[in-house]
Amino acid sequence: MEKKYAGSEKRKFKRIVFSAKDEVTAVVTFPEKPDDPVFYKISDIGAGGLRFMLPKSDAPEIISFNDTLFLHEIKGKSPLEMVAGVQLEVRWVMHHEMLDHMVIGCEFVNIAEDVSRQIDQFVESELTEQNLDR
């Protein structure tokens, strides 16, 4: 029997989760290496931020809560290509020894209101499409 979640949603923004086949990638730099971009797979996104999932072999040596990253662009979903030049703040890191991947949750910092609104519209559109496919 399936149980419905009875608690309240704590997120401020809806988000869309990407599958492995979606190939949605972020081009990111660290402040100490601004000329050395890295490419991280985005596992989900919402108007408030995004989450990266990457193999531990690709993980940055040291990354922790409140670190700053710079998002240059998003590739793989044309409606998200307008999300560029955005500062990210690391809100949490999951780097468990039993897992093959590292997960980094980031919040958008000082994102333009129109870009935030476009992300929210993209998420709403994708969620509607998913519900129609059921």
Side-chain angles (χ1 to χ4, degrees), residues 8-128:
S8 63
E9 175 61 55
K10 294 181 181 177
R11 296 181 195 281
K12 288 170 74 175
F13 304 98
K14 292 180 181 178
R15 64 185 174 138
I16 187 73
V17 177
F18 299 114
S19 71
K21 66 181 179 181
D22 286 325
E23 294 295 326
V24 180
T25 306
V27 180
V28 179
T29 57
F30 291 84
E32 60 275 3
K33 296 180 180 180
D35 296 327
D36 191 15
V38 292
F39 298 81
Y40 290 152
K41 188 169 183 90
I42 299 175
S43 59
D44 69 61
I45 192 169
L50 51 77
R51 181 174 58 175
F52 300 119
M53 182 174 283
L54 53 146
K56 283 187 179 176
S57 60
D58 295 341
E61 293 173 16
I62 298 175
I63 191 163
S64 58
F65 180 74
N66 285 340
D67 281 357
T68 299
L69 307 173
F70 192 75
L71 174 65
H72 291 275
E73 64 179 304
I74 295 178
K75 298 179 177 206
K77 285 282 184 185
S78 59
L80 293 176
E81 290 175 358
M82 80 298 193
V83 183
V86 178
Q87 185 177 332
L88 301 170
E89 186 173 289
V90 176
R91 303 311 298 159
W92 56 269
V93 177
M94 186 185 336
H95 194 179
H96 193 277
E97 63 188 41
M98 297 293 287
L99 301 175
D100 293 333
H101 287 77
M102 177 180 194
V103 185
I104 304 169
C106 297
E107 181 178 8
F108 295 125
V109 178
N110 298 327
I111 189 168
E113 189 174 318
D114 62 324
V115 174
S116 180
R117 190 172 30 256
Q118 287 176 308
I119 295 169
D120 200 43
Q121 289 170 349
F122 168 78
V123 170
E124 286 291 340
S125 172
E126 291 288 309
L127 289 173
T128 300

